[in-house]
Amino acid sequence: MFAGRASVVGVAAGSGGKGGKFSVEELYGFNKKPKANRVHCGKAERADSKKESKEKEESVLASHILEAAKRVMERRRLEVYLKECDVTIEESGMAYRNLGKSGLRVSCLGLGTWVTFGTQISDEMAESVMTLAYDNGVNLFDTAEVYASGRAETTLGNILKKKEWRSSYVVTTKIYWGGHAETERGLSRKHIIEEVVRAMTFVIGQGMAMYWGTSRWNAVEIMEAYSIARQFNLVPPVCEQAEYHYFQREKVELHLPELYHKIGVGAMTWSPLACGMLTGKYNNGVPQGSRAAMKGYAWLKERICSDEGKHQLSKVKELHLLADRLNCTSAQLAIAWCLRSQGVSSVLLGASNTDQLLENLNSIRVLSQLTPAFIAEIDLLLGNKPKKTKKEARC
C-alpha cells in the first residue's frame, strides 16, 4: 500500500531538548552563531577581518554539507517508507513493486506511448525519452496495437532492438482495436487465436507473453475471467489497466483493492495528469501546441471548457498551493498521489520530451511526504472520496 506515513526529520538522542530529537542543523552545529569579539586596535581589526572571511568560507561549506545531509536523510526516510510497503529502491532512485501478486517486479512509474510515439514526437525524440526513462530505472513500457495505427508498437520495437537491453525490461501491449475490418478488431479467435482466457493461456504457453491482464474491464468481468481460468486450469489475469487521477477514483479505490486481496489482480493506472489538466497548463484556457488544441482532441477541449471542467480547474489551482508546500510541481504531486493508492503496481506516464519526463520521474521523492494528514487535506479539497456502500463493506 502506498499510503503515506508521518515522518520525523531528526534523530533520537539521550535526553536532549525537543523531546529527545534534534534537527540536522543542531546535530552538525550549523545553527550556532559566532561569538562577538569587540576590539579597537588595527591589528585586532585585521585579525577580525580574516576571522570573518574564514567564518564565511566555513558557513558556505557548512551549508553544502547541510544540504547533502538533508538529501541523504530524505532518501533514507523514503527507503524506510518503501520497505514498509514491500517496495525496493535502486541506485537510480526508482522504486519497484510486484505486478499484482505475481512475481514480476515492475517500476512504480512506467512509460506509455499513447499520443506520442508515431504521432506527436519524432522517432529520435522517442528514443531519447525511452533512454532517459530506462537510465532512471523505468523497466515498464506500455503500448497498444491501436496507438498511431500500429506505428507506436513499431517505433517501440525498433528502439528496443537497437538498444539491446536484453531481458531487463517489460513491454505491455493491448489487443482489440487492431484495424478497420471486422476481423481486425475484437477478442475473437480470428483476431488473437482463441477466446480471451484460453487465447491468453495459449499465447503464454507459446512463449509470446509471460503474463496477461485486462484493460478497462469492470470488476465483475475480471472476476469472471479469473473463475473461468481456475475452472479450466488456464492462466488468470494479473492486472487491470485503469484510468486514475484526482477526478477518476471509484474503480481504483473501491473495486480493484477487493480484487487485489481476493485474487491478486493489481492495478496499472494511466492518465495520472488527466490529459494534462492537472499540470495547470489549461488554467487560463487552451494554449496553442497543447494536446487539447491538436486535431482529433476536440473532446478534450470540450471537456476542459465545460462547467464540470471549469470546476475541476478551480480545484487544480488550489492543489497547486498544496504542491508548493511540498516544494514540488502540481504534476509531481498528482503522480505521487496515484502511487500512494492500495494495489497500484505502476503508474504509466506519457511524455513528449525529456524535460517533461524527468520532472514526472522525480515524483517518487514526493511519495514519502504524503502523510495521512496531507492526504486527508487533499480529500477535503476534492470532496469526491469514494465511499463504500453497506453491501460493499460486507464483501
Side-chain angles (χ1 to χ4, degrees):
M1 165 175 167
F2 280 91
R5 287 183 171 82
S7 54
V8 178
V9 179
V11 209
S15 56
K18 300 182 182 179
K21 292 184 174 63
F22 297 90
S23 67
V24 176
E25 292 90 341
E26 292 169 324
L27 284 172
Y28 285 86
F30 297 152
N31 63 342
K32 293 181 180 178
K33 296 180 180 179
K35 294 180 180 179
N37 184 18
R38 297 184 180 181
V39 288
H40 303 286
C41 62
K43 187 175 181 180
E45 287 178 356
R46 287 194 297 274
D48 216 21
S49 178
K50 289 183 179 180
K51 184 178 180 181
E52 286 181 6
S53 178
K54 184 178 180 181
E55 286 176 347
K56 285 182 179 179
E57 291 178 1
E58 290 177 346
S59 177
V60 172
L61 177 61
S63 66
H64 290 164
I65 296 174
L66 175 60
E67 288 303 314
K70 284 182 174 179
R71 286 195 294 270
V72 169
M73 291 183 69
E74 180 180 346
R75 179 178 174 85
R76 288 179 178 172
R77 185 167 67 247
L78 177 59
E79 287 174 343
V80 170
Y81 166 76
L82 293 175
K83 186 176 181 180
E84 292 175 351
C85 298
D86 189 31
V87 176
T88 56
I89 187 166
E90 301 296 332
E91 289 300 319
S92 62
M94 179 55 65
Y96 299 84
R97 289 185 66 96
N98 282 2
L99 182 59
K101 290 190 177 180
S102 73
L104 181 63
R105 299 293 281 184
V106 295
S107 51
C108 285
L109 296 176
L111 180 64
T113 62
W114 184 53
V115 308
T116 52
F117 283 36
T119 52
Q120 191 174 338
I121 62 177
S122 65
D123 289 355
E124 291 74 21
M125 177 56 73
E127 183 176 342
S128 297
V129 168
M130 271 193 69
T131 302
L132 178 65
Y134 184 82
D135 289 344
N136 280 273
V138 172
N139 73 351
L140 176 62
F141 301 98
D142 178 73
T143 187
E145 61 175 354
V146 70
Y147 295 169
S149 300
R151 293 192 301 276
E153 282 187 323
T154 302
T155 301
L156 178 66
N158 288 338
I159 294 171
L160 291 174
K161 183 178 181 180
K162 180 180 179 180
K163 291 296 181 179
E164 296 185 342
W165 289 333
R166 304 299 180 185
S167 59
S168 57
Y169 60 86
V170 177
V171 172
T172 57
T173 190
K174 292 173 287 295
I175 296 171
Y176 189 90
W177 302 106
H180 299 291
E182 289 298 320
T183 56
E184 291 179 325
R185 60 178 181 265
L187 297 174
S188 68
R189 179 186 177 94
K190 172 68 177 176
H191 188 49
I192 54 171
I193 297 178
E194 209 164 333
E195 298 297 333
V196 197
V197 181
R198 192 174 298 278
M200 295 305 173
T201 300
F202 179 86
V203 168
I204 291 171
Q206 293 295 308
M208 291 183 276
M210 303 301 293
Y211 304 86
W212 78 278
T214 58
S215 179
R216 306 181 79 169
W217 286 27
N218 62 44
V220 174
E221 291 169 331
I222 297 169
M223 195 67 197
E224 184 179 359
Y226 178 85
S227 300
I228 290 172
R230 288 303 181 216
Q231 182 180 356
F232 297 102
N233 196 28
L234 303 173
V235 179
V238 298
C239 68
E240 156 67 10
Q241 276 198 13
E243 182 179 5
Y244 185 47
H245 50 74
Y246 291 140
F247 306 117
Q248 186 73 265
R249 305 180 58 175
E250 186 170 337
K251 180 177 181 178
V252 173
E253 295 186 13
L254 278 188
H255 307 306
L256 292 187
E258 291 288 337
L259 293 180
Y260 175 74
H261 290 297
K262 288 180 179 178
I263 61 176
V265 170
M268 187 186 295
T269 67
W270 48 276
S271 196
L273 303 179
C275 297
M277 282 185 65
L278 306 186
T279 64
K281 66 182 177 182
Y282 295 119
N283 285 352
N284 299 313
V286 179
Q288 290 295 323
S290 64
R291 189 182 304 177
M294 291 172 59
K295 183 179 179 181
Y297 286 88
W299 60 268
L300 179 57
K301 186 174 182 179
E302 291 175 3
R303 173 182 168 185
I304 291 169
C305 297
S306 67
D307 291 340
E308 183 182 5
K310 291 176 182 178
H311 175 71
Q312 290 176 348
L313 288 175
S314 69
K315 298 289 185 181
V316 171
K317 292 178 182 179
E318 295 182 68
L319 287 163
H320 185 83
L321 299 177
L322 293 183
D324 288 342
R325 281 169 43 189
L326 297 185
N327 194 30
C328 68
T329 65
S330 296
Q332 290 170 341
L333 176 59
I335 294 167
W337 179 89
C338 292
L339 279 174
R340 110 280 174 219
S341 190
Q342 182 184 37
V344 171
S345 299
S346 187
V347 174
L348 299 176
L349 307 175
S352 57
N353 58 66
T354 53
D355 289 339
Q356 181 186 21
L357 177 62
L358 194 58
E359 175 193 342
N360 293 346
L361 289 174
N362 282 328
S363 59
I364 288 287
R365 69 176 180 82
V366 182
L367 186 56
S368 64
Q369 301 179 64
L370 299 186
T371 63
F374 197 88
I375 292 296
E377 195 170 347
I378 293 177
D379 285 337
L380 183 63
L381 190 158
L382 293 173
N384 63 354
K385 183 177 180 179
K387 295 181 180 179
K388 288 188 176 182
T389 64
K390 292 182 179 180
K391 183 178 180 180
E392 290 172 330
R394 288 195 299 268
C395 293

